[in-house]
Amino acid sequence: MADTVQFDLVSPERLLASAQVTAVQIPGADGDMTAMADHAPTITTLRPGLLVTEGPDGTSEYVVTGGFAEISARGISVLAERAIPKGDVTKADHEAMVKEAEEALENAKTAFENEPGPVDDAAKLLADMVAVGDHITV
């Protein structure tokens, strides 16, 4: 059996998962990554996407909308802005997340008229949120 590592997924509302896992696929802001036992210590921000854990008890999938992941000698901790088990995401949930991202883009366009950076960031957030729909059954 492959080495396992402690994994914890926390959202503002609750602890969603705490288990021994062999791998965690993380939707990092700078690209997807897979963390396993003995991974180099890393902290990364999350983009909207699908977080997948693999372990002795099987595979679990969660839709995350942002936050941070910390990989350390103690384990893998993900602090998500919002996290929902993939099987619990409804079409209405996804549409609400996309609507929030669309509103954030419009607000950025208004507030940062001559500053493309924040507008580009909001547009990327919207694109990532729309792409989440490709990974979930709604």
Side-chain angles (χ1 to χ4, degrees):
M1 175 182 266
D3 290 338
T4 61
V5 63
Q6 178 62 36
F7 168 72
D8 295 301
L9 172 59
V10 181
S11 73
E13 297 85 26
R14 62 187 170 131
L15 172 68
L16 277 93
S18 182
Q20 291 292 312
V21 299
T22 54
V24 180
Q25 297 172 19
I26 300 168
D30 293 324
D32 292 350
M33 63 187 297
T34 300
M36 301 166 77
D38 298 323
H39 192 286
T42 305
I43 295 177
T44 186
T45 54
L46 303 177
R47 64 169 170 72
L50 197 62
L51 184 138
V52 180
T53 66
E54 299 171 19
D57 297 330
T59 301
S60 297
E61 299 176 312
Y62 304 89
V63 173
V64 296
T65 61
F68 298 90
E70 177 184 18
I71 303 163
S72 69
R74 294 184 315 268
I76 302 165
S77 298
V78 175
L79 308 171
E81 292 173 2
R82 184 183 306 159
I84 306 169
K86 179 183 167 188
D88 293 350
V89 178
T90 65
K91 182 176 182 180
D93 291 332
H94 181 248
E95 288 173 352
M97 289 185 258
V98 170
K99 184 174 173 35
E100 286 175 24
E102 288 172 340
E103 290 170 359
L105 176 58
E106 289 307 313
N107 291 340
K109 286 179 180 178
T110 302
F112 301 100
E113 188 172 329
N114 294 317
E115 300 176 51
V119 175
D120 292 344
D121 292 344
K124 173 82 169 89
L125 174 70
L126 175 57
D128 287 341
M129 193 57 66
V130 170
V132 167
D134 293 340
H135 300 289
I136 58 176
T137 304
V138 291

